[in-house]
Amino acid sequence: MYQGVLRHYRERLPLTEATPLITLGEGNTPLVAAPRLAREVGCAQLYLKLEGCNPTGSFKDRGMVVAVAKAVEAGSARIVCASTGNTSASAAAYGARFGLRTLVVVPKGNIAAGKLAQAIVYGAQVIALEGNFDQALDIVRRLAEAHDITLVNSVNPYRLEGQKTAAFELVDDLGDAPDLLCIPVGNAGNISAYWKGFKEYHQAGRSHTLPRMMGFEAAGAAPIVRGVRIEQPETIASAIRIGNPASWKLAVAARDESGGAIQAVTDDAILEAYRKMAQEEGIFGEPASAASVAGLFQLARQGMDLQRARVVCVITGSGLKDPDTALKMPQAIREAPPNLAAIEAALGGF
Ligand code: AN7
């Protein structure tokens, strides 16, 4: 039986005899072929890594399980994070299960409804900051310096250690690294963690190749692409509405060492990819996750030769996290009274 990231990859994680091997069943997520999208972009093979299948619905659980295990090992009683939503949901769940009080600071009005619901139901203390994610991160860093509380944002190195296990899974499933890895970039921890994982597996002889790391920021929140901090980032993809990523340098290193790129994708392109994933492949990712697919389409439009490429797009979080974006989609819901003739008429006849 699969027993979570800590047990499964214990020899590749910074664990000691004293680290509790906790789990909520994170990791071991599906890698699903996307043949229609592959045909449209003109690449040989396309797979979607469904990180929304983690226990709290995003990839954050992989890193949170390590960060929380190490916090428990160190005797910590409290954890804190700033979050655009998914980190707070994950921290709240692992904190609840493993006996820690959890404090989360989220940007007021800019966190998807499902994520806020999770933090509340898991029993975290929630502060809605009248400010953005970057300001929230700055504040929780200072809180953790001043008080006896463990910071579980990805500036905590155990987070990236856990998140690198997704790269291991890709190599374990595909038999080698993909040619291209397309991934959304917000605080830039995940792209850095994947690259670390790919390099470690390669060095251990588990893969023959390394992927080119292709990261995608939202156009209104693209500090790495533009080379400057964005004071007021804006995007419909609230998960990646970040203007000063904590792992900026690591992400640039991942890009450059791998011969990859970090580009910006517009909100329109994100929403188009969001719809296509759902309607052509049956995969419901959240808007930030769709940035990876939007990015792949963009690479194809730019003329990148994908004919022989095996590509993985990381679908970082479940579409159910953000019902409001889904419900704003152009839709044709017709109301009808409960009788057959009225319904046949509403459908325009058979
Ligand atoms: C679905 O939860 O930053 O580049 O506070 O939720 O590692 O930040 C979330 C980020 C992509 C970007 N996809 O990953 C948070 C937070 C989803 C996300 C990202 C996030 P990073």
Side-chain angles (χ1 to χ4, degrees), residues 33-55:
R36 284 193 178 166
L37 296 181
R39 207 172 314 127
E40 277 182 60
V41 297
C43 68
Q45 293 176 52
L46 173 59
Y47 294 93
L48 306 180
K49 178 69 167 162
L50 303 189
E51 290 291 283
C53 295
N54 277 296

Side-chain angles (χ1 to χ4, degrees), residues 60 64 79-85 87-88 91 103-108 127-146 149-157 159-160 186-189 223 229-231 233 239 241-249:
K60 302 289 183 180
M64 198 57 67
I79 55 176
V80 64
C81 66
S83 181
T84 57
T87 300
S88 56
L103 168 62
V104 306
V105 182
V106 300
K108 183 179 162 193
I127 294 189
L129 189 78
E130 290 163 358
N132 62 30
F133 169 82
D134 302 291
Q135 293 167 307
L137 182 57
D138 185 51
I139 285 167
V140 297
R141 286 174 115 142
R142 281 160 39 202
L143 259 181
E145 274 165 27
I149 186 166
T150 303
L151 184 61
V152 295
N153 279 105
S154 55
V155 293
N156 177 329
R159 285 278 315 282
L160 298 197
N187 214 19
R229 270 191 220 183
I230 309 294
E231 295 300 330
R241 186 173 174 274
I242 293 174
N244 183 25
S247 297
W248 190 322
K249 289 201 179 105

Side-chain angles (χ1 to χ4, degrees), residues 51 57-60 64 81-90 105-107 111 115 133 153-154 159-160 163 183-193 216-217 224 237-242 245-247 251 285-291 314-318 321:
E51 290 291 283
S58 85
F59 72 96
K60 302 289 183 180
M64 198 57 67
C81 66
S83 181
T84 57
N86 280 323
T87 300
S88 56
S90 187
V105 182
V106 300
I111 158 172
K115 303 174 188 181
F133 169 82
N153 279 105
S154 55
R159 285 278 315 282
L160 298 197
Q163 286 175 207
I183 185 168
V185 174
N187 214 19
N190 211 26
I191 189 172
S192 308
F216 298 97
E217 297 185 312
I224 298 175
S238 59
I240 53 173
R241 186 173 174 274
I242 293 174
S247 297
E286 65 171 283
S289 305
V314 183
I315 309 306
T316 46
S318 165
K321 294 271 191 174

